[in-house]
Amino acid sequence: MVQRSTSVRLLGGLLGLFLLMPVLMAPTPPSMCIPLRTINESLSHRRRYMKHNFPVNYTIRVHHEELFKLSNISKMKLQMGELDEIIFQRLWFLVNQGVLKKIIRVLPERHPSRPYTAELERRLKDTEGVFVQSHPAKVFQQELPDAIQDKWDCLTEVTHRVPETSWRFATPKSLLDNFCETMHCLFSDCFKATKSMDSFCRKGRKKALRAKS
Ligand SMILES: *[C@@H]1O[C@H](CO)[C@@H](O)[C@H](O)[C@H]1NC(C)=O
Ligand SMILES: *[C@@H]1O[C@H](CO)[C@@H](O)[C@H](O)[C@H]1NC(C)=O
Ligand SMILES: *[C@@H]1O[C@H](CO)[C@@H](O)[C@H](O)[C@H]1NC(C)=O
């Protein structure tokens, strides 16, 4: 019985992959570059707002899936084969919206980092609006590969139903570092792709390869 459901899921996954083929490696729509660069600009002040304004080593509680780094993306690519970049971009929006919400939740009304974080959240939401508009609706209706769908479900699970063991602690600054790094690589069309940048984006991949062997 277990085996059967596994093969059904596998078939579903293969079918999903097949359906994804036509949009494989679609470039980032140029309309997204302006809002993404605005986010990049905001993120350049993250040290001040996410580190200096907080107590030393202050951490917040996040879902373990919200630790979303380059190495995660590379690992997923290794495990699942080349997936449509859009899938990772969608996950990126979901993860970072959750991260910003959690940071805002610990900030008192008058905390100096609050307007900064709220603005970043607004900018991310607006950028997602442009993202959704610049792709055909069917891109967002297609089924996600199982492993991605599982992460998606965890990230959208109501907080009180998340088991204790799924939480991690991270500094706000490290979360925004991940936010920034993954943005530069997932939307590289909008950021200057220098040689050093290319190798930086592949660094995660090498790390994942080392971890596997
Ligand atoms: C993104 O921000 C960094 C500063 O953190 C800056 O050096 C870089 O030029 C920006 N990139 C773009 C494309 O705006
Ligand atoms: C903060 O963390 C660093 C590295 O883990 C540690 O060396 C340092 O002592 C910590 N500082 C405080 C005040 O806890
Ligand atoms: C990224 O990797 C870390 C550590 O391996 C893991 O805890 C986390 O869940 C991963 N994030 C995602 C989105 O898969």
Side-chain angles (χ1 to χ4, degrees):
M1 201 54 206
V2 170
Q3 244 172 7
R4 190 164 152 207
S5 82
T6 308
S7 59
V8 168
R9 272 162 51 132
L10 200 66
L11 195 67
L14 285 175
L15 203 65
L17 209 60
F18 178 71
L19 291 174
L20 288 174
M21 286 309 189
V23 280
L24 198 71
M25 304 307 284
T28 308
S31 55
M32 286 192 63
C33 290
I34 289 173
L36 282 170
R37 283 184 195 138
T38 309
I39 291 180
N40 182 58
E41 213 288 312
S42 294
L43 285 171
S44 69
H45 306 295
R46 65 188 184 281
R47 177 172 295 278
R48 171 163 155 216
Y49 289 107
M50 292 292 140
K51 186 168 179 162
H52 298 164
N53 286 351
F54 282 94
V56 175
N57 293 352
Y58 180 83
T59 57
I60 62 167
R61 198 178 72 158
V62 294
H63 283 290
H64 75 80
E65 285 88 0
E66 281 164 346
L67 302 175
F68 186 60
K69 304 182 195 185
L70 280 184
S71 56
N72 291 93
I73 298 172
S74 313
K75 201 156 49 176
M76 285 186 245
K77 285 183 176 169
L78 270 182
Q79 286 165 349
M80 297 176 223
E82 284 299 319
L83 289 183
D84 190 345
E85 204 76 347
I86 289 173
I87 290 181
F88 297 111
Q89 292 171 344
R90 289 176 63 191
L91 202 57
W92 179 85
F93 279 108
L94 184 67
V95 163
N96 290 299
Q97 267 152 12
V99 162
L100 292 176
K101 264 201 190 71
K102 288 182 181 65
I103 296 174
I104 289 173
R105 207 184 296 148
V106 301
L107 295 172
E109 206 61 54
R110 287 162 180 271
H111 191 284
S113 294
R114 193 167 169 122
Y116 171 81
T117 319
E119 184 178 68
L120 200 48
E121 190 191 32
R122 223 170 17 250
R123 287 181 168 170
L124 186 61
K125 193 103 212 121
D126 292 347
T127 308
E128 190 183 29
V130 177
F131 177 64
V132 169
Q133 276 171 16
S134 51
H135 292 290
K138 69 174 190 331
V139 167
F140 302 98
Q141 285 152 4
Q142 67 199 351
E143 264 191 63
L144 293 169
D146 281 345
I148 303 273
Q149 185 66 51
D150 288 347
K151 289 182 198 295
W152 197 276
D153 293 344
C154 290
L155 285 163
T156 49
E157 179 70 282
V158 251
T159 305
H160 69 266
R161 286 179 52 197
V162 176
E164 206 61 43
T165 51
S166 290
W167 295 109
R168 296 289 180 275
F169 287 87
T171 64
K173 166 74 166 41
S174 73
L175 292 166
L176 292 211
D177 287 347
N178 296 342
F179 183 170
C180 192
E181 274 183 25
T182 48
M183 175 177 76
H184 284 162
C185 296
L186 282 177
F187 302 95
S188 55
D189 295 340
C190 294
F191 297 96
K192 274 192 219 86
T194 59
K195 265 221 164 81
S196 67
M197 175 82 167
D198 276 352
S199 79
F200 170 72
C201 291
R202 278 196 305 266
K203 196 176 70 182
R205 184 177 184 92
K206 272 193 226 133
K207 257 198 215 155
L209 274 166
R210 234 181 294 137
K212 216 186 177 193
S213 60

